[in-house]
Structure formats: structure tokens, C-alpha cells
Amino acid sequence: MTKEKLLEELKGFHTHHDNRLKTLEFAIKGIAGDVSTSCVKLADCALDKWLGERKDVLLKLFGDETIKRLNALHEEWHEESEKVCHLANEHIHKHQSLITKMFGKKIPKMAGAQKDRALAYYANLKDLTSQIDDTFNRMTKRLNALPKEMFTDE
């Protein structure tokens, strides 16, 4: 694997969960109706698959501690996002009926205890996303500092 290809992959996954976080925020605020695109199980997540596929290279370049931390943060991120998704989907199904579908009535925004719980989960997600971003920043800096000779020309 070339250094450039790995840098490109790191860059691509660096913002991967930021986009999902924004969609979940919009769902809590009542801006977006469908959160299913952000509600991805850990096993179906492209980042999780990438971590599995590149495990040997990542361990060699960044060390066991960094990769274990990234995996742990990523797993926790998905656990928290599932909680937000569950609350958002529960809210949508509670307020969605045949009449609202037929007449295009807007589903009311989350409120009360449900919104408070969703915002608490969202705050955790935001912190986890920041930690994942920091990890990717450190990985990118380390990779940039490594000589090209350590990589293949594939």
C-alpha cells in the first residue's frame, strides 16, 4: 500500500461520523424526518470494515494502543447513536399516522424528557466524535512524518 493511498483513506474516514452526527442533530431539532441513513449498526459501518481490512498495516504504523482506542471510541459512538436513533424513530412512529402521511402534516419536534435524553446522548456523541477526530489527526501527522520507503508502490 502506498503512503498516499493510506493518507487518502484516513482523510475520507476522518469526517465520516461528523456527517452522521449532523443528521442526528437535525433529527433531534425536528429538521430532518428520516434518520435511517445515520442509524448504521457497527458491523455495517464502513469505518469498522476498513479497520478490519487494514488492521495489520494500522497496527504496524500506529501501534496497538492507538488502534484499540480508535476501535473502543468507534464502538461507543455507535452505541450512543443507536440510542438517539431509537428515540428519534420512536418519536416519528408515535406521531406518524395515515392522515399525516396523506395530508403531509409535519411531525412535531421532540419535546420534554424525550428531547432531553436525546440531547444528552447527542452531547456524548459530539464528545466521542471529537475524540475520534483527534485520533485521526494524530494518525495523519504520524503518517505524514513517516518516510515513503516504508510503503510499497502498489
Side-chain angles (χ1 to χ4, degrees):
M1 167 176 291
T2 65
K3 180 177 178 176
E4 291 76 22
K5 182 175 181 179
L6 189 54
L7 276 168
E8 186 179 305
E9 289 177 355
L10 278 175
K11 183 180 177 185
F13 284 114
H14 186 117
T15 59
H16 188 71
H17 287 75
D18 286 337
N19 298 332
R20 290 187 178 164
L21 185 68
K22 288 175 188 160
T23 304
L24 292 173
E25 178 187 16
F26 293 153
I28 293 168
K29 290 180 176 180
I31 298 169
D34 185 19
V35 295
S36 61
T37 57
S38 291
C39 298
V40 177
K41 300 271 187 219
L42 177 65
D44 297 328
C45 181
L47 176 57
D48 189 61
K49 291 176 183 177
W50 177 77
L51 287 169
E53 290 169 4
R54 299 282 188 242
K55 183 179 179 180
D56 294 336
V57 172
L58 296 173
L59 286 172
K60 179 182 173 188
L61 295 174
F62 306 111
D64 189 50
E65 188 176 315
T66 298
I67 302 308
K68 278 185 180 179
R69 177 169 165 70
L70 182 58
N71 275 316
L73 289 168
H74 187 233
E75 284 179 30
E76 192 176 349
W77 193 97
H78 278 274
E79 288 171 10
E80 290 296 301
S81 73
E82 282 184 37
K83 293 173 186 175
V84 174
C85 290
H86 177 73
L87 287 172
N89 286 328
E90 188 178 79
H91 177 75
I92 290 167
H93 292 300
K94 180 180 176 183
H95 295 285
Q96 195 172 41
S97 66
L98 183 59
I99 294 172
T100 58
K101 286 180 185 177
M102 285 176 46
F103 295 107
K105 286 189 174 182
K106 197 172 181 181
I107 294 172
K109 294 179 183 180
M110 267 190 217
Q114 186 180 36
K115 184 175 183 176
D116 291 342
R117 281 195 332 234
L119 287 172
Y121 296 141
Y122 175 77
N124 290 343
L125 271 175
K126 199 171 181 180
D127 182 52
L128 288 166
T129 303
S130 176
Q131 291 179 56
I132 290 171
D133 286 348
D134 290 344
T135 303
F136 271 108
N137 283 333
R138 286 191 308 278
M139 290 170 70
T140 301
K141 285 178 185 177
R142 168 127 174 89
L143 189 57
N144 279 321
L146 294 173
K148 275 190 169 185
E149 294 77 35
M150 285 186 66
F151 300 87
T152 60
D153 292 330
E154 294 175 14

